[in-house]
Amino acid sequence: MTSASPMISLSIVSHGQLDLARRAVESLARFPPRVPFEILVTENVAGAKTETKAWALPVALHTNPRPQGLAANQNAAVARSRGEFVCLLNPDVVFVEDVFGPLLIALQGGADLVAPTIVDSEGAVQESGRLVPTPWRLIRRRLRVGRGRPAKTPARPDWIAGTFLLLHADTFSRLGGMDERIRLYFEDVDLGCRATLAGMSLWIDPKVHVVHEARRASAHSAPYLFQHAVSAVRFFRSPVYRAMRERSRGKGSR
């Protein structure tokens, strides 16, 4: 990080997860962007640990007086940011190589939303780029139908998981940011689908990757599972979902 005006603003939202966010920042310090950047961290849990002076890189920490939804937190962080590009990150991401050089080239070459390949701690590729979900596809995933099959990323994904998203700040603004009515889960689905409907290009670079040690809280916690279900219902009842289904039918998709 330098004192120059940042080219990239990285935004991490923590839900009492500053230990994970610190690890993400430490890994970034080993493989930083080769352009000026800033790191914005939002702590969404009042009273959580907020000491960041000993972190490997300087961060601008904002602590919420009361919890907000993930979409609201990311929108507020982007509003505070100064970079030409914004990178939305999960706190449990670990950098293992420089991913920003190739991704910036992709953005400058015509892509609108980009991400590296996401792998788990054992190196298995995660499905970070997907087609628009349907209730049946969601049920299949919940029941783990097809478990054990290698992840397949569509050549033209309808949306990219919010684990790691890099886009131009103007693109985020043109899309109206994230939908704050979706408080947790599906905010990335909605954003990606709105980008797709706007004719934007979504791309995942198969040559660079980050590690995502997902905790999958919704699989083990009743409150998170409930919130996941509420967000799914809101998305499936939205004009965005209806427009995506019409688009799929027009292309002859099932």
Side-chain angles (χ1 to χ4, degrees), residues 207-222:
K207 296 181 180 179
V208 293
H209 68 284
V210 297
V211 176
H212 178 219
E213 298 183 352
R215 303 302 173 94
R216 303 191 185 282
S218 66
H220 308 289
S221 166

Side-chain angles (χ1 to χ4, degrees), residues 83 87 97 133 173 197 208-209 234:
C87 180
E97 62 180 320
S173 178
L197 290 169
V208 293
H209 68 284
R234 284 180 176 165

Side-chain angles (χ1 to χ4, degrees), residues 106-225:
L107 286 173
Q108 293 163 347
D112 295 291
L113 280 75
V114 299
T117 297
I118 310 295
V119 303
D120 64 21
S121 57
E122 297 180 353
V125 175
Q126 298 183 354
E127 294 178 281
S128 55
R130 303 173 192 167
L131 299 177
V132 60
T134 64
W136 173 237
R137 286 175 183 160
L138 192 63
I139 291 170
R140 282 172 59 89
R141 287 185 64 83
R142 182 59 58 182
L143 296 176
R144 306 293 182 96
V145 175
R147 186 179 184 181
R149 296 177 184 173
K152 293 182 179 180
T153 298
R156 296 181 179 274
D158 292 330
W159 63 281
I160 298 175
T163 306
F164 185 117
L165 276 177
L166 180 66
L167 65 162
H168 201 287
D170 285 346
T171 301
F172 192 84
S173 178
R174 279 190 287 133
L175 289 170
M178 289 185 157
D179 188 341
E180 297 185 10
R181 292 170 297 182
I182 304 176
R183 290 186 57 84
L184 187 63
Y185 305 113
F186 277 82
E187 64 285 312
D188 48 2
V189 182
D190 174 80
L191 181 72
C193 288
R194 284 189 282 118
T196 294
L197 290 169
M200 296 182 180
S201 173
L202 285 64
W203 187 69
I204 296 176
D205 192 331
K207 296 181 180 179
V208 293
H209 68 284
V210 297
V211 176
H212 178 219
E213 298 183 352
R215 303 302 173 94
R216 303 191 185 282
S218 66
H220 308 289
S221 166
Y224 280 104
L225 178 59

Side-chain angles (χ1 to χ4, degrees), residues 8-15 17 21 24-25 27-28 33 37-42 70 74 77-78 86-95 99-100 103 114-116 118 161-167 178 210-212:
I8 304 174
S9 297
L10 296 93
S11 172
I12 301 174
V13 177
S14 163
H15 302 276
Q17 303 162 302
V25 170
S27 69
L28 179 66
F37 64 97
E38 65 178 352
I39 305 171
L40 297 88
V41 176
T42 303
L70 179 60
Q74 289 291 23
V78 172
V86 293
C87 180
L88 311 182
L89 284 175
N90 274 15
D92 51 0
V93 163
V94 176
F95 291 87
V99 300
F100 289 98
L103 295 180
V114 299
I118 310 295
T163 306
F164 185 117
L165 276 177
L166 180 66
L167 65 162
M178 289 185 157
V210 297
V211 176
H212 178 219

Side-chain angles (χ1 to χ4, degrees), residues 236-247:
F236 292 138
R237 296 179 63 184
S238 72
V240 172
Y241 176 68
R242 290 194 294 272
M244 287 297 294
R245 293 299 291 160
E246 282 294 325
R247 177 178 178 272

